[in-house]
Amino acid sequence: QIENYIWNLIEIGIDFIKIGYSSRNLSDETTEASGITDDKLELIISTTRKYNKEVAVHISRLEDFNKIINFPITSIEHLPNDGVISDETIEKIKECGVYLVPTLMFIKNFLYFDKFYDFLKSDNALKKFEPEARDILLAECTNFKNNKFTKYDTENIEKNISENLKKIINNNLPIVIGTDAGAFYSFFGDYKEELYLMEQHGMSPVNVLKSATIQAAKLLGVDSDTGKIEEGKFADMLLLSANPLENLHNIEKLEIVFKEGKAFYPEQIK
C-alpha cells in the first residue's frame, strides 16, 4: 500500500515527500504514539528515493530528532523544543549532511498564538489579507483556540530552540530558510521575517542569504537551474538599492525583480 500510494503521488507530479514523525501523542506526551514504525519509515524513504525524490521529516522532540538522523533523509523541518542537541548528534549531522530548516516564524506565532489571534480579529489584519482569506484564517484559529489541548512551556521551548539554533549555526551545519507556510499561523508573506530572526540568533547576513538561495536550491535538487547568479542558470534575481551584507533589512529596498530574465518593477508587483 505504501509503495502504491507514493507512486500515485509521483504520478501527479510531487517534488518531495514530507513525513510527520512523532514518538509521542500530541495530546498526552507521556504516552507513545501509534505512528510510523521503523520498517514503514524505511519503506517510505527507499520508495521515494527510487523515484529520485527528496524526503523531508517533521519533528519537534529531541528523541525523534536523534533517531531520524540515522535514516537517509534530505531535511528535517523544525528543531527539537524539549532539549538541547548533543555534540555527538552534531557530529552525526556533519557526516550525513542532512539539511536543517528551523522555521522560527512558525514557532513564534505558535507560542504567542493569543497575540496572533488578536491581530487576526483586528482591522489591521485586512491590510495583510483579503477579507475572505482573513475570515478563513480566523475560523481556523478560533477552532484551534477552542480545542487547544496542551499548555506549552513557552519559556523553556524558546530557550531550547535558541540554544539549538546557535549550536547548528556555530557548527556550520547546512541550514535552509523556511517558514512552514501553509499552516494557519504561518504565511508566505512572512518569509523576510524568517531571515531577520535567523540573523537575530547569530547567523551572518551572507549566510542567511546563502540559506535562502543556494542552500535551498540544493535541498530541493534544483541547484543546476537556480540558487546562484551565473551563466546557464535561470535569471531569477533581485536588484536592490542598498547592500544587504551591510544591513540585512536592505533586502526590502527593491529596484527590480527579474523572473527568468523578465524585469518587474515594485509598482507592478504590489
Side-chain angles (χ1 to χ4, degrees):
Q1 288 183 332
I2 288 175
E3 291 173 300
N4 288 338
Y5 186 71
I6 291 176
W7 168 246
N8 289 335
L9 293 174
I10 299 294
E11 281 284 274
I12 63 175
I14 59 100
D15 295 311
F16 61 89
I17 295 288
K18 183 178 179 181
I19 303 168
Y21 186 80
S22 178
S23 59
R24 300 285 170 179
N25 285 310
L26 289 175
S27 57
D28 181 6
E29 293 198 342
T30 63
T31 61
E32 293 186 1
S34 54
I36 302 173
T37 59
D38 286 358
D39 59 333
K40 288 181 179 177
L41 185 60
E42 289 174 351
L43 182 57
I44 292 170
I45 294 170
S46 62
T47 304
T48 305
R49 292 293 191 196
K50 183 171 68 176
Y51 297 112
N52 297 315
K53 300 297 181 182
E54 308 298 338
V55 181
V57 178
H58 159 105
I59 63 92
S60 60
R61 296 175 53 82
L62 184 61
E63 175 185 357
D64 299 330
F65 186 90
N66 291 337
K67 184 174 182 179
I68 205 67
I69 62 171
N70 295 303
F71 291 86
I73 60 174
T74 309
S75 67
I76 298 176
E77 270 53 48
H78 316 307
L79 292 175
N81 61 46
D82 62 338
V84 178
I85 302 169
S86 69
D87 292 340
E88 180 184 1
T89 299
I90 291 290
E91 292 305 314
K92 282 186 179 179
I93 297 171
K94 289 180 180 178
E95 292 173 11
C96 68
V98 65
Y99 290 91
L100 304 174
V101 188
T103 65
L104 300 180
M105 278 301 298
F106 161 77
I107 298 296
K108 179 182 177 182
N109 286 342
F110 185 75
L111 292 180
Y112 295 93
F113 177 80
D114 288 339
K115 289 183 179 179
F116 175 66
Y117 185 64
D118 289 341
F119 165 73
L120 277 181
K121 291 190 294 182
S122 73
D123 291 339
N124 285 332
L126 295 175
K127 298 176 183 178
K128 186 178 181 73
F129 306 107
E130 293 180 358
E132 185 178 358
R134 195 280 296 265
D135 291 345
I136 292 172
L137 288 169
L138 187 56
E140 290 283 350
C141 286
T142 300
N143 182 61
F144 177 76
K145 186 177 178 68
N146 292 339
N147 292 284
K148 196 173 181 181
F149 40 69
T150 305
K151 182 175 176 59
Y152 293 95
D153 186 347
T154 300
E155 184 177 348
N156 275 329
I157 288 176
E158 284 190 309
K159 180 181 176 182
N160 290 330
I161 293 290
S162 181
E163 288 188 24
N164 285 328
L165 183 54
K166 288 177 181 176
K167 202 163 189 176
I168 66 174
I169 289 173
N170 291 337
N171 281 275
N172 297 314
L173 298 182
I175 299 172
V176 170
I177 303 296
T179 62
D180 211 35
F184 58 80
Y185 36 72
S186 189
F187 310 111
F188 292 98
D190 288 339
Y191 191 79
K192 67 179 184 297
E193 303 300 331
E194 185 77 19
L195 275 61
Y196 302 151
L197 285 173
M198 294 297 292
E199 184 186 32
Q200 289 171 23
H201 282 81
M203 203 172 197
S204 67
V206 66
N207 284 330
V208 170
L209 295 176
K210 285 181 178 179
S211 293
T213 53
I214 186 59
Q215 291 286 71
K218 287 179 178 178
L219 186 161
L220 297 171
V222 295
D223 51 305
S224 61
D225 295 323
T226 190
K228 283 184 178 181
I229 300 174
E230 64 182 25
E231 186 177 354
K233 287 182 167 54
F234 293 136
D236 295 341
M237 303 173 287
L238 303 180
L239 179 63
L240 307 174
S241 61
N243 189 350
L245 300 183
E246 296 175 355
N247 183 337
L248 190 58
H249 285 73
N250 286 337
I251 61 172
E252 298 184 46
K253 296 181 178 179
L254 278 175
E255 291 289 322
I256 307 174
V257 176
F258 291 96
K259 175 60 179 172
E260 296 182 9
K262 185 177 180 180
F264 297 88
Y265 295 87
E267 58 270 19
Q268 295 176 282
I269 300 170
K270 293 179 180 179

